[in-house]
Amino acid sequence: MFILRKLLKVLLLPVAFVLFFTRWALETSVRLTEWAVGLLTLIVGAAIIYSIVIHRWGDLFLYSLISVIT
């Protein structure tokens, strides 16, 4: 039974490696996406406030549309 258990661990090692790599790739992509979307939201929010202060209502509509899409 001991040999069978060790053999099974050795055979499942590539599967564990693939699962570990997949998890790492997903976590990294989620972190990068959070960073990019957060930065875009911050820039669009500043542009919306600027458009309200300058009274550019056409630009405000476009920035609001971008914010909703994001």
Side-chain angles (χ1 to χ4, degrees):
M1 191 69 178
F2 177 75
I3 296 172
L4 183 63
R5 192 177 304 153
K6 291 297 182 184
L7 182 64
L8 188 61
K9 282 186 179 182
V10 170
L11 288 175
L12 290 178
L13 193 58
V15 175
F17 177 72
V18 168
L19 290 176
F20 173 76
F21 181 72
T22 304
R23 179 181 173 197
W24 174 80
L26 285 174
E27 287 178 356
T28 303
S29 66
V30 166
R31 286 184 191 150
L32 289 174
T33 303
E34 286 176 355
W35 181 78
V37 170
L39 184 61
L40 179 65
T41 304
L42 184 64
I43 291 170
V44 170
I48 287 174
I49 292 171
Y50 178 75
S51 296
I52 290 172
V53 170
I54 301 298
H55 300 289
R56 291 190 176 186
W57 308 116
D59 292 345
L60 176 66
F61 174 73
L62 291 175
Y63 293 138
S64 300
L65 189 62
I66 291 170
S67 177
V68 169
I69 290 171
T70 302

